[in-house]
Amino acid sequence: MARGAGWQGFGQALGAPALAMGATFLAFGAAVAEAGLSLPWALLCTGAVYGMAGQLVLLQVAATGGAALPATIAATAANARFLPMAVAIAPLLGRRAPRWLALPFIAITPWAAGMRALPGLAESARLPWFLGFALASWCAAMAATAAGHGLAPNLPVELRAALLFANPLYFALLLAADSARPGVAPALLAGVLAAPLAWWVGGAWGLPAAGLVGGTLAFLWTRRR
């Protein structure tokens, strides 16, 4: 059952989720090439950071010759949203030590798919399914980064900017489809209300600040109701 669940998750990731991730990472690979950085740098950044906000922070610092330590701190802050995501999905992955294998793959697309699919699976099949889905997503991100780096001269700046929003848009559509589930609608509304805060704070701390405020508002709203 476990092996079958893993292949099932792998296959399900190769549809719309892989296309959404691929579009975003294609744009990232092209941006790295335009900044004059190498393909190995792009692949290392995608494979190790695996979060577009943190990757863009690192790219900006690397392209301008910034220091490594501040860049690492900024990228960590930009990807701080993965911590509550990991806490939320952890109970669905079982109580045994192998669930720690899922940690490197906590990202928007695998997390959103896991939160929808895992409750309907047998407990023994949940971790294999998630690892299969996450591994396919990670491979799609790596392949798209390499393709974007090679196709950079053929991708206009406007197209790259649009492609960067493909994966967040896919995530937003998943949330909209689940808006009837408890807690989802308040989270969506609170996120919209808190979004201007990300613009106002700016930099690496804008997104975590907006997420903290919006998430707190959604939690308090749901708890009160």
Side-chain angles (χ1 to χ4, degrees), residues 92-139:
L92 299 175
L93 298 174
R95 300 179 179 273
R96 298 183 178 181
R99 72 176 179 175
W100 295 102
L101 295 173
L103 280 179
F105 301 109
I106 299 295
I108 287 180
T109 301
W111 180 85
M115 293 297 290
R116 302 181 82 207
L118 294 180
L121 298 177
E123 185 172 348
S124 61
R126 290 177 180 176
L127 181 59
W129 185 95
F130 182 82
L131 290 177
F133 189 102
L135 183 60
S137 300
W138 186 83
C139 289

Side-chain angles (χ1 to χ4, degrees), residues 9-124:
F10 192 94
Q12 290 180 6
L14 295 180
L19 290 176
M21 287 194 68
T24 299
F25 283 90
L26 187 76
F28 175 75
V32 172
E34 185 181 32
L37 299 172
S38 66
L39 176 59
W41 190 96
L43 294 176
L44 179 62
C45 189
T46 292
V49 180
Y50 196 42
M52 190 52 61
Q55 289 177 224
L56 291 176
V57 170
L58 283 179
L59 173 59
Q60 182 180 13
V61 174
T64 56
L69 181 59
T72 302
I73 295 175
T76 301
N79 282 346
R81 67 191 185 279
F82 293 151
L83 177 58
M85 290 165 60
V87 171
I89 202 171
L92 299 175
L93 298 174
R95 300 179 179 273
R96 298 183 178 181
R99 72 176 179 175
W100 295 102
L101 295 173
L103 280 179
F105 301 109
I106 299 295
I108 287 180
T109 301
W111 180 85
M115 293 297 290
R116 302 181 82 207
L118 294 180
L121 298 177
E123 185 172 348
S124 61

Side-chain angles (χ1 to χ4, degrees), residues 4 35 142 157 181 212:
M142 294 289 285
V157 176
R181 294 173 56 187
L212 178 62

